[in-house]
Amino acid sequence: MSVRDVKNAFSQVTMDRRIDSRDVDTILTSAGSISKEEQAAIKQEADKFAGMMDPAAKRKLQSKLGEVDDLRAWAAQQNRRVQVSASRLSGEAEKLLAPGVATKSFGGSEIPEAVKQVVTDALKGGAIAYDVRELKPDPVYDTSHGEPEMTVEGKFNPYSQQSKATDSLAFSHTELTPKKIADDMNTPQTLNVLKGYKGSRQDAVAEFEKVTIKGNGRITELYDEAHWPDTLARGPGGQKYASNFAILADGSVHAVPASRRSKGDPGLILTTASLGRGKQMLFNGHLHMENGVVNYVGMSGRLGKLKEDGAKFVDPVAILKAWGFQVTPGLTVTQE
């Protein structure tokens, strides 16, 4: 946003000649990412209208502004770590994309020459490989998840999670290939499938039914806040993956497990950012599949905004086709 937005927010909340705690939420969210200029403007306007601010609101504003500098410093430190590891990670991917050499993906699958060609051409054309752990330099006041908090967001994904490549997040488990999808659909397997939930909403636990089925080749949105004792269990109808997906720097395609849980990160609801696991990404968003056929690919809103600002990303549909995935005729990327 801008300093003007901050001043407009103060003008709005002071129309009743009083500033309370809810008004503080309005003021802090008006800035979006709070730059140093906006931070100074908030302090300046707060001094101007100090007589209208009740004690609770004054304490809240002072407390939240006190977190800004520390969070900004933490983001800078994290981004320095990302920068230090960038050449190592890009070098690792470059070796895996070497043409004419048999190489395997992070998930253990042989990378097709067609995939290497698509990715290499895209990178030469200006597409970027990015680290989902990179943060925006300025904090934001987030009111979207219950109790408002001052926080920093990822540059390429809001959550910037640093998950471990273990259990349901092992690269071999999250990796999607035409062969893995076909094998799953053609092989009877005995496994746990989501049956329902027990307990209240606050402490709900997923319950499972052990069944022998074949995979259904279906990927759609899956989300809940219940605890999953079996992180490798499948969703409704035997769905193995949620729709959150990413293409890693080696050109491999990965999706979040149906449980959206991993024993390596207990208590954390996995997001697309979880698929990074210390590797660079080429793309992230959502993918839908029916009977093994990809019928939807969406670019995340965060990437879409960066694209509007001039950033270039690989064409995920071209990479899916290069892997040999079946896609619906005329499939293109949807901006989410």
Side-chain angles (χ1 to χ4, degrees), residues 32 99 102 159 175 190 284 300 327:
Y159 302 104
E175 184 180 54
T190 301
N284 70 84
S300 76
V327 303

Side-chain angles (χ1 to χ4, degrees), residues 14-84:
T14 55
M15 290 181 68
D16 60 358
R17 312 298 296 173
R18 179 174 178 270
I19 300 176
D20 60 21
S21 292
R22 284 184 298 180
D23 293 330
V24 170
D25 292 339
T26 299
I27 292 165
L28 291 175
T29 55
S30 68
S33 295
I34 302 175
S35 66
K36 291 183 179 179
E37 292 76 15
E38 290 162 337
Q39 182 182 357
I42 293 172
K43 292 179 179 178
Q44 184 179 34
E45 294 297 297
D47 289 340
K48 184 189 301 185
F49 295 102
M52 298 184 189
M53 197 172 298
D54 68 36
K58 184 176 294 185
R59 288 193 299 271
K60 183 175 185 177
L61 184 60
Q62 290 174 340
S63 173
K64 296 304 178 184
L65 285 178
E67 300 173 23
V68 170
D69 289 333
D70 288 342
L71 286 172
R72 189 178 287 124
W74 179 72
Q77 183 182 50
Q78 169 71 359
N79 289 344
R80 283 193 293 271
R81 287 195 289 264
V82 167
Q83 187 175 19
V84 167

Side-chain angles (χ1 to χ4, degrees), residues 6-296:
V6 171
K7 292 184 176 182
N8 287 342
F10 270 96
S11 297
Q12 174 189 336
V13 302
T14 55
M15 290 181 68
D16 60 358
R17 312 298 296 173
R18 179 174 178 270
I19 300 176
D20 60 21
S21 292
R22 284 184 298 180
D23 293 330
V24 170
D25 292 339
T26 299
I27 292 165
L28 291 175
T29 55
S30 68
S33 295
I34 302 175
S35 66
K36 291 183 179 179
E37 292 76 15
E38 290 162 337
Q39 182 182 357
I42 293 172
K43 292 179 179 178
Q44 184 179 34
E45 294 297 297
D47 289 340
K48 184 189 301 185
F49 295 102
M52 298 184 189
M53 197 172 298
D54 68 36
K58 184 176 294 185
R59 288 193 299 271
K60 183 175 185 177
L61 184 60
Q62 290 174 340
S63 173
K64 296 304 178 184
L65 285 178
E67 300 173 23
V68 170
D69 289 333
D70 288 342
L71 286 172
R72 189 178 287 124
W74 179 72
Q77 183 182 50
Q78 169 71 359
N79 289 344
R80 283 193 293 271
R81 287 195 289 264
V82 167
Q83 187 175 19
V84 167
S85 65
S87 59
R88 173 180 59 81
L89 293 176
S90 60
E92 174 188 44
E94 186 176 348
K95 289 180 180 178
L96 297 179
L97 295 170
V101 180
T103 58
K104 291 187 176 181
S105 67
F106 299 133
S109 299
E110 186 169 339
I111 305 174
E113 288 297 313
V115 172
K116 295 179 181 182
Q117 189 68 54
V118 171
V119 173
T120 300
D121 288 349
L123 293 174
K124 287 180 178 178
I128 61 173
Y130 56 90
D131 194 322
V132 77
R133 294 171 296 184
E134 184 174 347
L135 299 171
K136 286 186 173 182
D138 297 316
V140 297
Y141 189 61
D142 185 8
T143 60
S144 63
H145 297 88
E147 184 65 25
E149 64 173 344
M150 194 68 70
T151 185
V152 286
E153 293 183 343
K155 178 178 179 179
F156 298 95
N157 185 287
Y159 302 104
S160 185
Q161 293 173 350
Q162 301 184 57
S163 300
K164 303 177 182 68
T166 59
D167 186 49
S168 62
L169 274 179
F171 291 111
S172 58
H173 185 73
T174 63
E175 184 180 54
L176 305 180
T177 69
K179 183 180 187 306
K180 287 186 175 184
I181 296 297
D183 287 349
D184 188 58
M185 294 176 67
N186 293 325
T187 306
Q189 304 159 71
T190 301
L191 39 77
N192 284 332
V193 171
L194 181 66
K195 179 182 179 181
Y197 305 94
K198 63 180 179 182
S200 62
R201 182 177 179 182
Q202 290 76 14
D203 58 358
V205 176
E207 292 187 302
F208 309 108
E209 178 181 16
K210 188 173 289 293
V211 297
T212 299
I213 58 172
K214 294 180 180 179
N216 58 13
R218 186 167 196 252
I219 300 177
T220 60
E221 279 82 4
L222 292 176
Y223 183 84
D224 66 59
E225 297 183 354
H227 171 64
W228 282 52
D230 181 358
T231 56
L232 297 176
R234 301 207 177 188
Q239 186 172 329
K240 187 175 181 180
Y241 301 103
S243 63
N244 306 71
F245 96 111
I247 298 175
L248 299 185
D250 63 346
S252 59
V253 183
H254 296 259
V256 169
S259 67
R260 300 194 64 155
R261 303 295 190 283
S262 174
K263 292 178 181 177
D265 298 278
L268 181 68
I269 298 176
L270 305 178
T271 70
T272 311
S274 307
L275 296 171
R277 295 159 290 186
K279 307 296 185 183
Q280 290 178 331
M281 282 187 184
L282 300 175
F283 187 89
N284 70 84
H286 293 89
L287 178 146
H288 294 179
M289 181 182 287
E290 290 292 342
N291 295 315
V293 179
V294 178
N295 58 14
Y296 175 86

